[in-house]
Amino acid sequence: MILTVTPNPALDLTWHVDRLQPGETHRVDAGAARAGGKGLNVARVLHAEGHDVLALTTTGGAVGAEFAAELVSSGIPHRLIPVAGPTRRSVAIVDEADGETSVLNERGAALAPDEVAALAATALELGRLADAVAICGSLPTGFGSEELAELVASLVAAGVPVIVDTSGPGLLAAARAGASALKPNSEELRTETGLDDPAAGARALLDLGARLVVASLGSEGLMIVSADAPGAVHARLPRTLHGNATGAGDAAVAAIAAALAETPDLAADTAAAVHARARLARRATAWSASAVLMPLAGDLSPEHVALELEVDVTTTSTGTAGPSDPEATA
């Protein structure tokens, strides 16, 4: 079982417009509302791909009631922690003309100390039974970097692989806590490490204690670096897909969580782990790209299997520019 933990969930509201013109009034078709937040999107992808998954999150207020009802109707196994504050909302406006998506994310209500304790205790209890745990998204007031680090360290100490997808100080805290994998993007790497080179930024997170960094680099694809192995794995789809990119990173996290559940020593410098990282790079890139083709975050296009065949995967050794195919002898 893969457990996803979403400390700051949201009711995702999505509208598609023919062309977004700031300051103008737009007439649109009915929007869509679904239980969201990064961890919920990860759970949706894994559930749809046949993985045993359990989504843990909080819910509160009238928005939380709508959030919970949609989650029930989705069929995704879940556990909800009741909280006093209202579940936040996230608004995505997809411009069909240029494929760009504008997002408005509410910050979310603070969690009370007893609510933080309940979320952390439940995550640890369920996480100890899991094959992998994915902790995803922004952190609400009350559940900050210190609480995240304590949860990550406890799960790692229990022998459970943990992937963390967050930003800000939480990213560094998760690295110091020994997270099995981190999934930053290039801007998060630059902001948190102060390094412009993504490879150097990823290595900085490994130096803090993380075991694996899977960095999404936008049009440049995806890069995987390991604490135990030199060099990096690079993957890129050789064409650009246009659509709703809000769930692309979450689809990649779903692929990482599934890979960790299958290969807990994914960061190892062994032939099996090297091939597993190459397969992960290919799949995470394809899943991320296919998510862009779907109108709502948390879904993969049926084309994701075919897209895997298009992905270019190469490895580079430290200080070497020459690529090789890490799957050639898999």
Side-chain angles (χ1 to χ4, degrees):
M1 179 264 288
I2 297 172
L3 176 70
T4 69
V5 182
T6 311
N8 198 21
L11 182 68
D12 284 347
L13 307 171
T14 305
W15 282 273
H16 290 249
V17 300
D18 292 335
R19 180 180 294 276
L20 183 62
Q21 297 179 346
E24 299 294 328
T25 298
H26 302 75
R27 188 172 298 279
V28 298
D29 292 331
R34 61 165 37 175
K38 286 183 173 294
L40 270 299
N41 293 337
V42 170
R44 285 183 189 277
V45 171
L46 290 170
H47 180 68
E49 291 304 304
H51 293 275
D52 181 14
V53 65
L54 177 64
L56 172 66
T57 190
T58 63
T59 183
V63 175
E66 184 177 355
F67 174 98
E70 196 285 324
L71 192 52
V72 169
S73 67
S74 73
I76 299 171
H78 59 275
R79 178 81 65 88
L80 300 179
I81 304 295
V83 296
T87 299
R88 69 191 178 108
R89 291 162 295 188
S90 177
V91 178
I93 310 296
V94 183
D95 187 334
E96 297 285 4
D98 59 14
E100 296 295 326
T101 302
S102 301
V103 181
L104 301 176
N105 286 325
E106 293 182 347
R107 292 184 176 85
L111 297 183
D114 61 321
E115 295 167 348
V116 172
L119 177 61
T122 305
L124 185 56
E125 175 189 356
L126 296 174
R128 284 174 171 156
L129 304 176
D131 298 308
V133 175
I135 306 173
C136 307
S138 59
L139 303 179
T141 300
F143 192 98
S145 299
E146 184 176 339
E147 289 77 14
L148 173 65
E150 183 176 350
L151 177 58
V152 171
S154 296
L155 289 167
V156 170
V160 182
V162 182
I163 174 174
V164 178
D165 179 15
T166 191
S167 58
L171 180 65
L172 301 181
R176 294 189 182 99
S180 308
L182 299 174
K183 210 294 292 171
N185 59 37
S186 55
E187 181 58 32
E188 290 163 348
L189 277 176
R190 184 181 303 109
T191 299
E192 299 310 320
T193 68
L195 299 169
D196 290 329
D197 177 31
R203 287 289 170 190
L205 294 179
L206 297 178
D207 290 342
L208 289 177
R211 305 297 302 143
L212 195 76
V213 173
V214 182
S216 52
L217 307 178
S219 62
E220 296 303 312
L222 177 146
M223 174 183 65
I224 301 178
V225 292
S226 165
D228 292 345
V233 181
H234 298 264
R236 183 175 179 273
L237 189 69
R239 61 187 175 106
T240 301
L241 302 179
H242 297 285
N244 180 10
T246 54
D250 304 327
V253 173
I256 300 164
L260 281 171
E262 181 179 342
T263 310
D265 60 344
L266 195 58
D269 190 17
T270 64
V274 167
H275 295 318
R277 289 196 293 274
R279 290 193 299 271
L280 168 60
R282 183 179 298 280
R283 175 153 296 178
T285 301
W287 283 17
S288 181
S290 78
V292 173
L293 299 175
M294 302 304 289
L296 300 176
D299 294 333
L300 297 185
S301 164
E303 294 184 35
H304 69 82
V305 175
L307 286 172
E308 283 195 38
L309 302 178
E310 296 186 40
V311 176
D312 294 328
V313 180
T314 60
T315 59
T316 54
S317 300
T318 302
T320 302
S324 62
D325 185 350
E327 295 184 291
T329 58

